[in-house]
Structures are given as structure tokens and as C-alpha cells.
């Protein structure tokens, strides 16, 4: 049985300087009855200095907290204690840590756990002028539906290109995306491409210079959320 020690998370008036060696980012949602419990697990024997920051969909800072997590200890925070529900209160959470973490994310709908995800892959530093891609599965078949969230975890603007392929390789949607610092964009594939018996396949996100992170929401039989930070090239 796991034991989690609650983090003593103090709100900071000003953002802390980036001091962590390890940088993580993932999706949260405080709109429409949704919530997120963040479980931070220190994988190393030494204490970890940790800073969390949450931004709204437009990149506005909403909440910042910092604490120390002892070696091999876990701590948790539920965002509804600090971020009120609002239409624009969704987007990216960043975590800076002096030690490597495993981050377990429990996504809640109306107070009930709907989905669990894990993040242990750091946001990558990309080689300049070299293209990289993030890839995800989508399905618009039957009662299934997919939402795509693309997030900028950085303090500077980024650009990327999104291509949605049908299972037979046909391109069904393309878009160029420019994101301001910490801004996020949501794509409802139901609105963009509709439904059909063959509407499933690959979402491909091309990035150069600075990495974005992505999350996919799967609807139809409840809610499932997958964060995507692992790139390929």
C-alpha cells in the first residue's frame, strides 16, 4: 500500500527562478466539472526541490507552489484547492525538480476518478533546425471521439504543424499552430472531421527548435487522458 505525504504547497507572490535540472509538463482541466490530482514521486535517495506552475489556456499564470520532497517520498496536490473552475482554466502545468520524478496524474470528473496517467519523460531540448514529431492515436468511429490539446511549456513562443491521417494514410486535416508562452490550443476532432467507420489513425505534430507537449482526451465510454511528451524523428 502506498503512503503519500501531502506537500505543504505555499502560494508564491512571484514566480521562482528556474532552478531544477529536470523539467516536466502535462495537461490539466478545471473547466466543466473536471479536476486533477498530481502525485509527485521522488525516484532518488536525495531530497528534491520542486516547483509547480499552472497556466490558463491563454498562458496567464494561475498558481505557483514550491516545496522539498524527501528521497523516495511521494506528495500530492489537488488543483481544485487552488484553481477555481472557469472556462479558460485548462492548459499546461510545469514541474521543475532537482531530482528525477515519476508523476502520476488522476483526472477527475464530478469528483470521481475517470483516468490515470503517468509522466516520467522530461520535456526534451531539441537540436536546433532538426525536425521532431509527437504522435498519437485518434478514433472517431462509432461513439468514440477524440480531443487534442497542444501546449507550450516554455517562456517563449513556439510553432508546430499538425497533420491528422486516416488509417489508410489519407490526410484529413492539417494546421499550422503558433503558441505564445505557456499558451494551449484545443482541437475537437468531432467538430473538425466528424465521425465515420474509417476515421481513425495518426495525429502527427511536427516541431522544430522548441518542443511542445500534447495530450489526447478520449470520449465515448467515459473519459481517458493520455499525455504525450516522447518524441520521434
Amino acid at each position: 500500500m502506498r503512503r503519500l505525504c501531502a506537500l505543504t504547497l505555499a502560494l508564491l507572490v512571484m514566480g521562482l527562478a528556474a532552478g531544477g535540472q529536470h523539467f516536466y509538463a502535462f495537461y490539466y482541466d478545471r473547466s466543466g466539472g473536471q479536476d486533477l490530482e498530481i502525485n509527485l514521486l521522488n525516484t532518488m535517495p536525495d531530497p528534491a526541490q520542486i516547483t509547480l506552475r499552472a497556466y490558463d489556456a491563454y498562458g496567464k499564470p494561475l498558481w505557483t507552489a514550491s516545496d522539498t520532497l524527501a528521497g523516495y517520498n511521494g506528495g500530492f496536490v489537488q488543483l481544485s484547492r487552488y484553481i477555481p473552475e472557469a472556462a479558460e482554466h485548462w492548459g499546461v502545468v510545469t514541474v521543475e525538480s532537482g531530482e528525477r520524478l515519476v508523476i502520476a496524474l488522476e483526472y477527475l470528473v464530478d469528483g470521481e476518478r475517470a483516468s490515470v496517467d503517468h509522466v516520467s519523460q522530461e520535456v526534451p531540448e531539441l537540436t536546433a533546425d532538426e525536425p521532431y514529431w509527437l504522435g498519437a492515436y485518434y478514433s472517431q468511429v462509432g461513439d468514440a471521439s477524440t480531443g487534442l490539446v497542444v501546449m507550450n511549456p516554455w517562456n517563449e513562443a513556439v510553432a508546430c504543424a499538425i497533420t491528422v491521417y486516416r488509417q489508410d494514410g489519407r490526410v484529413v486535416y492539417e494546421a499550422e499552430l503558433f503558441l505564445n508562452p505557456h499558451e494551449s490550443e484545443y482541437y475537437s476532432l468531432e467538430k473538425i472531421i466528424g465521425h465515420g467507420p474509417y476515421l481513425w489513425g495518426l495525429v502527427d505534430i511536427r516541431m522544430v527548435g522548441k518542443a511542445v507537449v500534447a495530450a489526447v482526451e478520449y470520449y465515448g465510454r467515459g473519459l481517458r487522458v493520455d499525455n504525450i511528451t516522447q518524441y520521434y524523428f
Side-chain angles (χ1 to χ4, degrees), residues 15-51:
L16 299 179
Q21 296 177 337
H22 306 283
F23 184 54
Y24 306 87
F26 48 84
Y27 169 65
Y28 83 95
D29 191 351
R30 285 289 297 127
S31 67
Q34 296 196 45
D35 197 0
L36 175 62
E37 181 180 295
I38 304 169
N39 299 277
L40 302 169
L41 309 171
N42 185 357
T43 66
M44 306 302 289
D46 296 324
Q49 298 287 334
I50 297 173
T51 299

Short mmCIF file of all heavy atoms in Angstrom, two decimals, residues 15-51:
data_model
loop_
_atom_site.label_atom_id
_atom_site.label_comp_id
_atom_site.label_asym_id
_atom_site.label_seq_id
_atom_site.Cartn_x
_atom_site.Cartn_y
_atom_site.Cartn_z
N GLY A 15 6.94 34.34 -9.35
CA GLY A 15 7.45 33.05 -9.83
C GLY A 15 8.88 32.85 -9.37
O GLY A 15 9.67 33.78 -9.30
N LEU A 16 9.22 31.60 -9.08
CA LEU A 16 10.57 31.29 -8.66
C LEU A 16 11.47 31.14 -9.87
O LEU A 16 11.04 30.73 -10.94
CB LEU A 16 10.57 29.98 -7.86
CG LEU A 16 9.73 29.98 -6.57
CD1 LEU A 16 9.82 28.62 -5.93
CD2 LEU A 16 10.19 31.06 -5.62
N ALA A 17 12.73 31.45 -9.70
CA ALA A 17 13.69 31.27 -10.79
C ALA A 17 13.85 29.78 -11.08
O ALA A 17 13.78 28.94 -10.19
CB ALA A 17 15.04 31.87 -10.40
N ALA A 18 14.05 29.47 -12.33
CA ALA A 18 14.18 28.07 -12.73
C ALA A 18 15.46 27.49 -12.16
O ALA A 18 16.55 27.83 -12.57
CB ALA A 18 14.20 27.97 -14.26
N GLY A 19 15.31 26.60 -11.17
CA GLY A 19 16.49 26.05 -10.54
C GLY A 19 16.57 24.55 -10.70
O GLY A 19 17.57 23.94 -10.32
N GLY A 20 15.51 23.91 -11.20
CA GLY A 20 15.51 22.47 -11.31
C GLY A 20 16.27 22.00 -12.53
O GLY A 20 16.31 22.67 -13.56
N GLN A 21 16.88 20.83 -12.41
CA GLN A 21 17.59 20.23 -13.53
C GLN A 21 16.65 19.44 -14.43
O GLN A 21 16.99 19.17 -15.57
CB GLN A 21 18.70 19.32 -13.00
CG GLN A 21 19.78 20.05 -12.22
CD GLN A 21 20.80 19.09 -11.67
OE1 GLN A 21 20.51 17.90 -11.48
NE2 GLN A 21 21.99 19.57 -11.39
N HIS A 22 15.49 19.08 -13.93
CA HIS A 22 14.55 18.23 -14.66
C HIS A 22 13.24 18.97 -14.81
O HIS A 22 12.70 19.54 -13.86
CB HIS A 22 14.35 16.90 -13.92
CG HIS A 22 15.64 16.19 -13.62
ND1 HIS A 22 16.34 15.49 -14.58
CD2 HIS A 22 16.38 16.12 -12.49
CE1 HIS A 22 17.45 14.99 -14.05
NE2 HIS A 22 17.49 15.37 -12.79
N PHE A 23 12.72 18.95 -16.06
CA PHE A 23 11.58 19.78 -16.41
C PHE A 23 10.49 18.91 -17.04
O PHE A 23 10.72 18.23 -18.04
CB PHE A 23 12.03 20.87 -17.39
CG PHE A 23 10.97 21.85 -17.76
CD1 PHE A 23 10.26 22.55 -16.81
CD2 PHE A 23 10.68 22.09 -19.10
CE1 PHE A 23 9.29 23.47 -17.16
CE2 PHE A 23 9.72 23.01 -19.48
CZ PHE A 23 9.02 23.70 -18.50
N TYR A 24 9.30 18.94 -16.44
CA TYR A 24 8.17 18.13 -16.90
C TYR A 24 6.98 19.05 -17.19
O TYR A 24 6.87 20.15 -16.64
CB TYR A 24 7.76 17.12 -15.82
CG TYR A 24 8.88 16.24 -15.32
CD1 TYR A 24 9.70 16.65 -14.27
CD2 TYR A 24 9.13 15.00 -15.89
CE1 TYR A 24 10.73 15.85 -13.81
CE2 TYR A 24 10.16 14.18 -15.44
CZ TYR A 24 10.96 14.62 -14.39
OH TYR A 24 11.97 13.82 -13.93
N ALA A 25 6.08 18.59 -18.05
CA ALA A 25 4.88 19.35 -18.36
C ALA A 25 3.75 18.39 -18.72
O ALA A 25 3.99 17.34 -19.32
CB ALA A 25 5.14 20.34 -19.50
N PHE A 26 2.52 18.79 -18.38
CA PHE A 26 1.37 17.93 -18.64
C PHE A 26 0.10 18.77 -18.62
O PHE A 26 0.09 19.95 -18.24
CB PHE A 26 1.28 16.78 -17.64
CG PHE A 26 1.43 17.20 -16.20
CD1 PHE A 26 0.35 17.67 -15.47
CD2 PHE A 26 2.67 17.14 -15.58
CE1 PHE A 26 0.49 18.07 -14.16
CE2 PHE A 26 2.83 17.54 -14.27
CZ PHE A 26 1.74 18.00 -13.55
N TYR A 27 -0.99 18.14 -18.99
CA TYR A 27 -2.29 18.79 -19.18
C TYR A 27 -3.11 18.75 -17.90
O TYR A 27 -3.09 17.76 -17.17
CB TYR A 27 -3.02 18.06 -20.31
CG TYR A 27 -4.47 18.40 -20.50
CD1 TYR A 27 -4.88 19.67 -20.89
CD2 TYR A 27 -5.44 17.41 -20.32
CE1 TYR A 27 -6.22 19.96 -21.09
CE2 TYR A 27 -6.79 17.69 -20.54
CZ TYR A 27 -7.16 18.96 -20.91
OH TYR A 27 -8.49 19.23 -21.12
N TYR A 28 -3.84 19.84 -17.66
CA TYR A 28 -4.84 19.84 -16.60
C TYR A 28 -6.12 20.49 -17.14
O TYR A 28 -6.10 21.22 -18.14
CB TYR A 28 -4.35 20.62 -15.37
CG TYR A 28 -4.55 22.12 -15.49
CD1 TYR A 28 -5.68 22.73 -14.94
CD2 TYR A 28 -3.65 22.92 -16.20
CE1 TYR A 28 -5.89 24.10 -15.09
CE2 TYR A 28 -3.86 24.28 -16.35
CZ TYR A 28 -4.98 24.87 -15.79
OH TYR A 28 -5.20 26.22 -15.95
N ASP A 29 -7.23 20.26 -16.44
CA ASP A 29 -8.51 20.87 -16.83
C ASP A 29 -9.33 21.15 -15.58
O ASP A 29 -9.62 20.23 -14.80
CB ASP A 29 -9.27 19.92 -17.76
CG ASP A 29 -10.47 20.59 -18.43
OD1 ASP A 29 -10.82 21.73 -18.04
OD2 ASP A 29 -11.06 19.98 -19.33
N ARG A 30 -9.68 22.42 -15.40
CA ARG A 30 -10.57 22.82 -14.31
C ARG A 30 -11.84 23.45 -14.86
O ARG A 30 -12.47 24.28 -14.21
CB ARG A 30 -9.85 23.80 -13.37
CG ARG A 30 -8.83 23.14 -12.46
CD ARG A 30 -9.50 22.29 -11.38
NE ARG A 30 -10.31 23.13 -10.49
CZ ARG A 30 -11.59 22.90 -10.21
NH1 ARG A 30 -12.23 21.86 -10.74
NH2 ARG A 30 -12.25 23.71 -9.40
N SER A 31 -12.21 23.06 -16.06
CA SER A 31 -13.47 23.51 -16.65
C SER A 31 -14.43 22.33 -16.73
O SER A 31 -14.02 21.18 -16.74
CB SER A 31 -13.24 24.09 -18.05
OG SER A 31 -12.83 23.08 -18.95
N GLY A 32 -15.71 22.62 -16.74
CA GLY A 32 -16.71 21.57 -17.00
C GLY A 32 -16.73 20.45 -15.99
O GLY A 32 -16.94 19.29 -16.36
N GLY A 33 -16.51 20.74 -14.71
CA GLY A 33 -16.58 19.72 -13.67
C GLY A 33 -15.36 18.85 -13.55
O GLY A 33 -15.36 17.86 -12.80
N GLN A 34 -14.27 19.18 -14.26
CA GLN A 34 -13.07 18.36 -14.21
C GLN A 34 -12.06 18.87 -13.16
O GLN A 34 -12.09 20.03 -12.77
CB GLN A 34 -12.41 18.29 -15.58
CG GLN A 34 -13.27 17.60 -16.63
CD GLN A 34 -12.48 17.20 -17.85
OE1 GLN A 34 -11.39 16.66 -17.75
NE2 GLN A 34 -13.04 17.46 -19.02
N ASP A 35 -11.20 17.98 -12.73
CA ASP A 35 -10.19 18.30 -11.73
C ASP A 35 -8.99 17.38 -11.98
O ASP A 35 -9.05 16.44 -12.76
CB ASP A 35 -10.76 18.07 -10.32
CG ASP A 35 -9.95 18.74 -9.23
OD1 ASP A 35 -8.93 19.40 -9.54
OD2 ASP A 35 -10.33 18.61 -8.05
N LEU A 36 -7.88 17.67 -11.30
CA LEU A 36 -6.67 16.87 -11.44
C LEU A 36 -5.97 16.76 -10.11
O LEU A 36 -5.72 17.76 -9.43
CB LEU A 36 -5.71 17.50 -12.46
CG LEU A 36 -4.35 16.81 -12.63
CD1 LEU A 36 -4.53 15.37 -13.14
CD2 LEU A 36 -3.45 17.61 -13.56
N GLU A 37 -5.64 15.53 -9.71
CA GLU A 37 -4.77 15.27 -8.57
C GLU A 37 -3.39 14.92 -9.11
O GLU A 37 -3.24 14.00 -9.92
CB GLU A 37 -5.29 14.13 -7.70
CG GLU A 37 -4.40 13.86 -6.49
CD GLU A 37 -4.91 12.73 -5.63
OE1 GLU A 37 -6.00 12.88 -5.04
OE2 GLU A 37 -4.24 11.68 -5.55
N ILE A 38 -2.38 15.66 -8.67
CA ILE A 38 -1.00 15.47 -9.10
C ILE A 38 -0.25 14.75 -7.99
O ILE A 38 -0.17 15.24 -6.86
CB ILE A 38 -0.32 16.81 -9.40
CG1 ILE A 38 -1.11 17.59 -10.45
CG2 ILE A 38 1.11 16.60 -9.86
CD1 ILE A 38 -0.65 19.03 -10.61
N ASN A 39 0.30 13.58 -8.29
CA ASN A 39 1.08 12.80 -7.33
C ASN A 39 2.54 12.81 -7.77
O ASN A 39 2.87 12.30 -8.85
CB ASN A 39 0.56 11.36 -7.26
CG ASN A 39 -0.88 11.30 -6.80
OD1 ASN A 39 -1.16 11.34 -5.61
ND2 ASN A 39 -1.81 11.24 -7.75
N LEU A 40 3.41 13.39 -6.95
CA LEU A 40 4.82 13.53 -7.28
C LEU A 40 5.62 12.48 -6.50
O LEU A 40 5.53 12.41 -5.26
CB LEU A 40 5.31 14.94 -6.90
CG LEU A 40 4.55 16.08 -7.58
CD1 LEU A 40 4.93 17.40 -6.94
CD2 LEU A 40 4.82 16.10 -9.07
N LEU A 41 6.40 11.69 -7.20
CA LEU A 41 7.15 10.59 -6.61
C LEU A 41 8.63 10.79 -6.89
O LEU A 41 9.06 10.78 -8.05
CB LEU A 41 6.68 9.25 -7.18
CG LEU A 41 5.15 9.02 -7.13
CD1 LEU A 41 4.78 7.78 -7.93
CD2 LEU A 41 4.68 8.91 -5.70
N ASN A 42 9.40 10.98 -5.84
CA ASN A 42 10.84 11.18 -5.96
C ASN A 42 11.51 9.82 -6.15
O ASN A 42 11.42 8.96 -5.28
CB ASN A 42 11.38 11.88 -4.71
CG ASN A 42 12.86 12.23 -4.82
OD1 ASN A 42 13.52 11.91 -5.79
ND2 ASN A 42 13.38 12.90 -3.80
N THR A 43 12.18 9.61 -7.27
CA THR A 43 12.78 8.32 -7.58
C THR A 43 14.20 8.18 -7.06
O THR A 43 14.82 7.12 -7.25
CB THR A 43 12.80 8.08 -9.10
OG1 THR A 43 13.70 9.04 -9.72
CG2 THR A 43 11.42 8.24 -9.70
N MET A 44 14.72 9.20 -6.40
CA MET A 44 16.11 9.21 -5.96
C MET A 44 16.21 9.31 -4.44
O MET A 44 15.26 9.73 -3.77
CB MET A 44 16.85 10.38 -6.62
CG MET A 44 16.74 10.42 -8.13
SD MET A 44 17.35 8.90 -8.93
CE MET A 44 19.12 9.10 -8.63
N PRO A 45 17.38 8.93 -3.85
CA PRO A 45 17.52 8.97 -2.39
C PRO A 45 17.69 10.37 -1.82
O PRO A 45 17.48 10.58 -0.62
CB PRO A 45 18.77 8.12 -2.13
CG PRO A 45 19.56 8.22 -3.39
CD PRO A 45 18.55 8.28 -4.49
N ASP A 46 18.06 11.33 -2.66
CA ASP A 46 18.29 12.69 -2.18
C ASP A 46 17.02 13.52 -2.23
O ASP A 46 16.13 13.27 -3.07
CB ASP A 46 19.36 13.38 -3.03
CG ASP A 46 20.72 12.70 -2.92
OD1 ASP A 46 21.06 12.24 -1.81
OD2 ASP A 46 21.43 12.62 -3.94
N PRO A 47 16.88 14.52 -1.36
CA PRO A 47 15.70 15.40 -1.42
C PRO A 47 15.62 16.13 -2.75
O PRO A 47 16.63 16.45 -3.37
CB PRO A 47 15.94 16.38 -0.25
CG PRO A 47 16.92 15.70 0.63
CD PRO A 47 17.79 14.87 -0.26
N ALA A 48 14.40 16.41 -3.18
CA ALA A 48 14.17 17.10 -4.44
C ALA A 48 13.48 18.43 -4.18
O ALA A 48 12.44 18.48 -3.53
CB ALA A 48 13.30 16.25 -5.37
N GLN A 49 14.10 19.50 -4.66
CA GLN A 49 13.44 20.81 -4.64
C GLN A 49 12.51 20.88 -5.84
O GLN A 49 12.94 20.70 -6.99
CB GLN A 49 14.49 21.92 -4.71
CG GLN A 49 15.45 21.95 -3.54
CD GLN A 49 14.80 22.46 -2.26
OE1 GLN A 49 13.84 23.22 -2.33
NE2 GLN A 49 15.32 22.04 -1.13
N ILE A 50 11.23 21.14 -5.60
CA ILE A 50 10.22 21.05 -6.64
C ILE A 50 9.44 22.35 -6.73
O ILE A 50 9.06 22.92 -5.71
CB ILE A 50 9.25 19.88 -6.37
CG1 ILE A 50 10.01 18.54 -6.41
CG2 ILE A 50 8.11 19.86 -7.38
CD1 ILE A 50 9.18 17.36 -5.99
N THR A 51 9.21 22.81 -7.96
CA THR A 51 8.35 23.97 -8.21
C THR A 51 7.30 23.61 -9.25
O THR A 51 7.63 23.07 -10.30
CB THR A 51 9.17 25.18 -8.70
OG1 THR A 51 10.13 25.55 -7.71
CG2 THR A 51 8.27 26.38 -8.98
#
